[in-house]
Amino acid sequence: QLACPLDLGCHSVIEAVKQQYGFEPFEYQSPALRLKFPEAVKMLREAGIEQPEFEDLSTETEKKLGKLVKEKYHTDFYMLEKYPTSARPFYTMPCPEDPRYTNSYDMFIRGEEICSGSQRIHDAPTLIRRAAELGVNLAPIQAYVDAFRYGAWPHAGAGIGLERVTMLYLGLGNIRKTSMFPRDPKRVTP
């Protein structure tokens, strides 16, 4: 097990937070653990957790998987890749080796998702076919589809929440503790 790069550059800050809130030290592997979706389903089933092979994981199941990963691999950070096509948007590129899965991933800290990403379909015929398979009406986004008729490079995208990463890394339990000006339905201004 290696020290997380955050520990090396922010040790004094992390220790101050630890004194105030207390949390388990973050365990990390290098290179980071990468699991394929079928491997995760197998781990869950072996632990007696029912998980359909081609359905997305619920939040509760993700947390259970995080505990299983921690027990087996001794890491709080991992990536889960090759989600089923049925669990991802129509514009996610199917996996060329097995089209039941996609070129997509989620990253997790302590069993909670911090980032989701995928390769996007970059040609109009494949995009149209996938939309038809899933019953997606393309009329409202026709300009998006038409843009790919002129050619597009293979590309991908991802989204990450840094406040969420901080909350999970430090084991704070509430995202409000990681935001300078937290917002909620009853609080809009600082």
Side-chain angles (χ1 to χ4, degrees):
Q1 176 190 333
L2 300 172
C4 179
L6 286 175
D7 287 341
L8 301 175
C10 303
H11 184 73
S12 62
V13 174
I14 290 170
E15 282 304 310
V17 172
K18 191 175 190 177
Q19 285 179 350
Q20 184 171 358
Y21 295 107
F23 62 89
E24 287 184 38
F26 186 80
E27 289 189 69
Y28 176 80
Q29 291 181 0
S30 183
L33 176 65
R34 290 172 58 176
L35 291 173
K36 291 192 176 4
F37 194 87
E39 294 173 89
V41 169
K42 183 179 179 199
M43 284 178 69
L44 289 162
R45 288 178 175 174
E46 288 174 351
I49 300 163
E50 185 55 40
Q51 172 61 40
E53 187 175 7
F54 295 103
E55 284 186 23
D56 202 358
L57 304 178
S58 68
T59 301
E60 180 183 336
T61 304
E62 287 176 345
K63 289 178 181 181
K64 289 176 182 176
L65 179 62
K67 289 179 181 175
L68 295 172
V69 166
K70 174 85 171 201
E71 289 172 14
K72 184 173 182 176
Y73 297 103
H74 307 286
T75 185
D76 288 307
F77 175 77
Y78 64 97
M79 292 175 269
L80 186 56
E81 61 180 345
K82 305 296 181 194
Y83 275 76
T85 53
S86 56
R88 289 299 199 215
F90 78 97
Y91 54 79
T92 305
M93 181 65 80
C95 176
E97 294 85 29
D98 187 344
R100 298 175 302 167
Y101 296 96
T102 59
N103 289 346
S104 64
Y105 63 90
D106 285 351
M107 294 181 184
F108 293 86
I109 291 181
R110 302 184 194 261
E112 295 192 47
E113 181 185 321
I114 59 162
C115 178
S116 187
S118 70
Q119 180 184 2
R120 310 295 199 245
I121 294 173
H122 56 274
D123 66 279
T126 305
L127 197 59
I128 293 165
R129 180 179 50 79
R130 284 291 298 139
E133 289 170 1
L134 297 173
V136 174
N137 177 11
L138 293 177
I141 58 167
Q142 193 59 51
Y144 174 78
V145 176
D146 290 344
F148 292 103
R149 294 183 197 282
Y150 302 108
W153 293 102
H155 62 284
I160 189 165
L162 294 179
E163 290 171 337
R164 189 169 174 81
V165 169
T166 304
M167 174 192 73
L168 294 168
Y169 180 85
L170 296 173
L172 295 176
N174 189 322
I175 201 159
R176 293 172 195 195
K177 294 178 181 173
T178 65
S179 176
M180 184 176 283
F181 302 110
R183 307 285 196 267
D184 63 36
K186 296 182 181 188
R187 180 180 173 175
V188 179
T189 59

